[in-house]
Amino acid sequence: MARQHVSSINKINVAIDGPAGAGKSTVARLVAKALSYVYVDTGAMYRAATWYMMCKKIPAENVQKVLQHVPELVIELVPDPTGQKVYCNGEDVTTVIRSMEVTSNVSQYSSIAGLRTRLTENQREMAARKGVVMDGRDIGTTVLPDAEVKVFMTASVQERASRRFKELSGTDDITLEQLERDIAARDKFDEEREVSPLRCSEDAIVLDTTHMGIQDVVDTIVSYCLTEKDGEISQ
């Protein structure tokens, strides 16, 4: 692209939403790097909370007990040369929160209103100074409804399962077919949950990445941001 960075003056916030396996985290991280912005992986925050509750052997069904432990949660996202590090109460959980066990349970915990309220407050605090790229499922609709650029990333279930399968290759004993079923089930759960369901904001740009490479997606979103800063974008 002609311009690689956005000026530090008048920074904007960027919200990237979409279903499981759409590649939001990878793309958001690269967009933030291209813009010299701060990347906030909200999914990692919910994964860390899930990991913590599971370590405490508190099932998502026991909402009262989960909420009793929410105040003691301290989740930190720390920039690192090899990628963002995630800490939960001082422990590096960057790798363990990506396990299939956490993945299979995160939607259940993240649907708990009190937990979402706590993490949403943290996320808004991170975005208060602007210059943030944040990804998740309800960023444009709930967490940052005033974000200047909102993108809803999606792709077919088959393509999302294939991407996740390549990521997990050699780390988990799971088939591509099982991943397709899991992703479809998670889509249904996220779309139907009562608290902050997965949905596309009315003013979001829908970006189907099924046939796009990662860099193409990044360049497209960065162009939206540059255009917004120039005051030319029209929704």
Side-chain angles (χ1 to χ4, degrees), residues 18-23 137 152-166 175-191 198 207-211:
R137 285 168 176 70
F152 190 87
M153 275 180 59
T154 187
S156 68
V157 170
Q158 293 76 17
E159 177 62 22
R160 286 185 279 138
S162 176
R163 293 172 183 173
R164 183 61 59 82
F165 185 73
K166 291 174 182 176
T175 65
L176 179 59
E177 292 72 19
Q178 181 61 49
L179 275 174
E180 288 184 12
R181 290 193 293 270
D182 289 349
I183 286 176
R186 189 169 177 189
D187 284 353
K188 187 174 187 297
F189 185 94
D190 289 342
E191 290 165 359
L198 169 67
L207 187 60
D208 188 333
T209 69
T210 301
H211 303 295

Side-chain angles (χ1 to χ4, degrees), residues 12 14 147-151 203-205 220-235:
I12 63 175
V14 184
E148 288 82 357
V149 171
K150 300 179 184 179
V151 177
D203 54 349
I205 301 166
T220 299
I221 295 177
V222 169
S223 72
Y224 295 153
C225 298
L226 295 173
T227 304
E228 168 62 27
K229 280 188 64 65
D230 288 340
E232 299 170 358
I233 201 166
S234 60
Q235 298 291 349

Side-chain angles (χ1 to χ4, degrees), residues 45-53 60 63 66-73 75 105-123 195:
M45 296 175 73
Y46 284 104
R47 284 175 174 273
T50 297
W51 172 85
Y52 184 76
M53 296 300 170
V63 174
V66 169
L67 295 180
Q68 287 176 355
H69 286 267
V70 164
E72 66 197 42
L73 269 176
I75 299 171
N105 288 277
V106 66
S107 287
Q108 286 72 30
Y109 286 95
S110 63
S111 67
I112 298 174
L115 176 59
R116 292 199 74 86
T117 298
R118 168 66 179 273
L119 295 187
T120 293
E121 290 173 353
N122 293 348
Q123 292 154 12
V195 182

Side-chain angles (χ1 to χ4, degrees), residues 30-196:
L30 292 172
V31 168
K33 182 178 180 180
L35 299 174
S36 295
Y37 277 15
V38 175
Y39 167 54
V40 179
D41 183 353
T42 65
M45 296 175 73
Y46 284 104
R47 284 175 174 273
T50 297
W51 172 85
Y52 184 76
M53 296 300 170
M54 291 176 69
C55 286
K56 292 282 187 181
K57 300 189 184 304
I58 305 172
E61 293 77 16
N62 193 339
V63 174
Q64 184 177 0
K65 195 165 185 181
V66 169
L67 295 180
Q68 287 176 355
H69 286 267
V70 164
E72 66 197 42
L73 269 176
V74 179
I75 299 171
E76 300 172 278
L77 304 179
V78 181
D80 184 85
T82 60
Q84 194 173 65
K85 293 286 188 180
V86 184
Y87 291 86
C88 184
N89 289 28
E91 183 173 349
D92 185 349
V93 297
T94 308
T95 301
V96 294
I97 63 173
R98 299 296 171 182
S99 69
M100 281 305 299
E101 187 177 13
V102 170
T103 298
S104 299
N105 288 277
V106 66
S107 287
Q108 286 72 30
Y109 286 95
S110 63
S111 67
I112 298 174
L115 176 59
R116 292 199 74 86
T117 298
R118 168 66 179 273
L119 295 187
T120 293
E121 290 173 353
N122 293 348
Q123 292 154 12
R124 286 174 177 160
E125 289 172 3
M126 295 177 188
R129 294 183 179 181
K130 297 288 189 176
V132 158
V133 179
M134 194 176 293
D135 73 291
R137 285 168 176 70
D138 65 343
I139 309 305
T141 57
T142 303
V143 181
L144 300 179
D146 296 325
E148 288 82 357
V149 171
K150 300 179 184 179
V151 177
F152 190 87
M153 275 180 59
T154 187
S156 68
V157 170
Q158 293 76 17
E159 177 62 22
R160 286 185 279 138
S162 176
R163 293 172 183 173
R164 183 61 59 82
F165 185 73
K166 291 174 182 176
E167 290 176 2
L168 296 174
S169 180
T171 62
D172 286 281
D173 185 17
I174 189 168
T175 65
L176 179 59
E177 292 72 19
Q178 181 61 49
L179 275 174
E180 288 184 12
R181 290 193 293 270
D182 289 349
I183 286 176
R186 189 169 177 189
D187 284 353
K188 187 174 187 297
F189 185 94
D190 289 342
E191 290 165 359
E192 296 178 353
R193 71 188 183 199
E194 293 184 10
V195 182
S196 296

